[in-house]
């Protein structure tokens, strides 16, 4: 990150010396960030205004990215707190990071089991989900991502999108034609879809909603996109 800042500062210096006020402000920002990075601070922990963050955004600083701390525990440590794990959680909380704790040995064993067997296996250790699933959940949370689903006779597919996307924009993640010719979305909440046994059951139960292009897609929505191009 320091090398990236220095390179950007060198490119900005000439314009700043020529009197470009925007570049002068950028130079001041770069020098401030460089000094704080040199003091061991991560870029994401430096107090910056939104406009200042926008200036730095295209630099893709590594220390500005979200982090996940992974703690590989022993079998006898699963499902309980210990001094080491507490210390990791404390450090992660200071910079807004996530912590995932699991036992790599057990994860390898879980991969060899069926879904039903793995649930019982995890229950025997007093935990509710595998480390892999916890890691995926933490990743989506840090990246502010959600999934919506499309279901058909041949396949069911999850589509990861940024939280807050509208229905037409989400349809564009499937195919650009769907966003361009978007008419409406038929939406079913995930729990209703499972409980009702699929689209037909959800429709009979009155759980299929018609939503327009500005509908904000929710995590777990099952969506049928109607479009015309």
């Amino acid at each position: 990150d320091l090398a990236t800042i220095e390179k950007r500062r060198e490119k900005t210096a000439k314009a700043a010396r020529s009197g470009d006020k925007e570049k002068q402000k950028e130079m001041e920002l770069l020098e401030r960030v460089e000094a704080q990075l040199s003091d061991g601070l991560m870029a994401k922990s430096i107090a910056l205004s939104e406009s200042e963050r926008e200036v730095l955004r295209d630099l893709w600083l590594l220390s500005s990215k979200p982090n996940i701390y992974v703690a590989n525990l022993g079998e006898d440590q699963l499902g309980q707190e210990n001094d080491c794990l507490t210390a990791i959680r404390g450090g992660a909380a200071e910079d807004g990071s996530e912590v995932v704790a699991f036992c790599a040995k057990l994860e390898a064993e879980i991969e060899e089991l069926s879904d039903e067997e793995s649930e019982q296996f995890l229950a025997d250790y007093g935990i509710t989900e595998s480390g892999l699933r916890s890691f995926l959940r933490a990743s989506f949370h840090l990246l502010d991502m959600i999934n919506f689903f499309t279901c058909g006779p041949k396949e069911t597919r999850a589509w990861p999108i940024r939280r807050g996307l509208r229905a037409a924009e989400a349809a564009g993640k499937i195919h650009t034609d769907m966003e361009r010719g978007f008419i409406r979305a038929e939406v079913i909440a995930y729990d209703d879809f499972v409980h009702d046994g699929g689209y037909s059951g959800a429709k009979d139960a009155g759980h299929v909603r018609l939503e327009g292009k500005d509908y904000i897609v929710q995590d777990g929505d099952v969506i049928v996109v109607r479009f015309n191009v």
Side-chain angles (χ1 to χ4, degrees):
D1 283 358
L2 281 170
T4 301
I5 291 288
E6 183 177 356
K7 186 176 181 180
R8 177 64 169 262
R9 188 162 52 78
E10 290 173 355
K11 291 177 63 176
T12 306
K14 184 176 181 180
R17 287 195 297 268
S18 69
D20 186 321
K21 294 191 180 300
E22 288 301 315
K23 293 300 181 183
Q24 288 174 354
K25 289 181 180 179
E26 184 176 325
M27 275 294 291
E28 293 174 1
L29 170 62
L30 293 171
E31 289 171 353
R32 176 158 60 91
V33 172
E34 183 178 33
Q36 292 181 299
L37 288 175
S38 297
D39 287 340
L41 289 178
M42 299 182 72
K44 66 179 180 178
S45 67
I46 299 173
L48 299 171
S49 67
E50 186 53 41
S51 61
E52 289 174 329
R53 292 192 182 280
E54 190 63 36
V55 172
L56 296 179
R57 195 157 285 146
D58 65 341
L59 295 182
W60 296 98
L61 300 177
L62 288 175
S63 63
S64 68
K65 298 182 181 300
N67 294 327
I68 297 177
Y69 294 89
V70 177
N72 183 17
L73 305 178
E75 295 180 40
D76 59 335
Q77 297 174 312
L78 284 176
Q80 55 184 301
E81 200 72 13
N82 58 64
D83 291 344
C84 179
L85 190 53
T86 299
I88 293 172
R89 293 193 195 281
E94 290 179 2
D95 62 13
S97 297
E98 295 273 346
V99 177
V100 175
F102 63 84
C103 173
K105 179 177 179 294
L106 294 184
E107 289 295 312
E109 294 180 22
I110 290 170
E111 288 298 309
E112 304 297 323
L113 303 176
S114 67
D115 289 344
E116 185 176 322
E117 290 172 330
S118 65
E119 287 183 11
Q120 183 58 53
F121 186 85
L122 292 169
D124 290 342
Y125 281 91
I127 50 181
T128 57
E129 64 180 6
S130 68
L132 176 59
R133 181 165 295 186
S134 295
F135 183 83
L136 291 173
R137 191 188 303 280
S139 299
F140 265 64
H141 179 255
L142 280 179
L143 295 173
D144 205 22
M145 302 282 286
I146 62 171
N147 275 319
F148 75 93
F149 297 92
T150 53
C151 296
K154 293 185 177 180
E155 70 170 2
T156 296
R157 180 164 177 177
W159 300 89
I161 59 170
R162 188 181 72 254
R163 187 183 300 277
L165 231 56
R166 293 178 170 83
E169 297 170 319
K173 299 300 180 180
I174 303 172
H175 196 287
T176 53
D177 284 349
M178 288 188 172
E179 181 175 6
R180 184 161 55 89
F182 183 92
I183 299 173
R184 67 178 183 273
E186 298 178 12
V187 182
I188 311 166
Y190 177 83
D191 288 343
D192 289 336
F193 187 88
V194 173
H195 180 269
D196 298 333
Y199 179 85
S200 296
K203 188 172 183 179
D204 291 342
H207 290 150
V208 178
R209 312 188 315 273
L210 298 183
E211 301 287 358
K213 64 180 181 179
D214 291 329
Y215 168 72
I216 303 300
V217 176
Q218 302 299 305
D219 192 23
D221 277 350
V222 180
I223 299 178
V224 177
V225 178
R226 303 300 182 187
F227 69 104
N228 183 36
V229 292

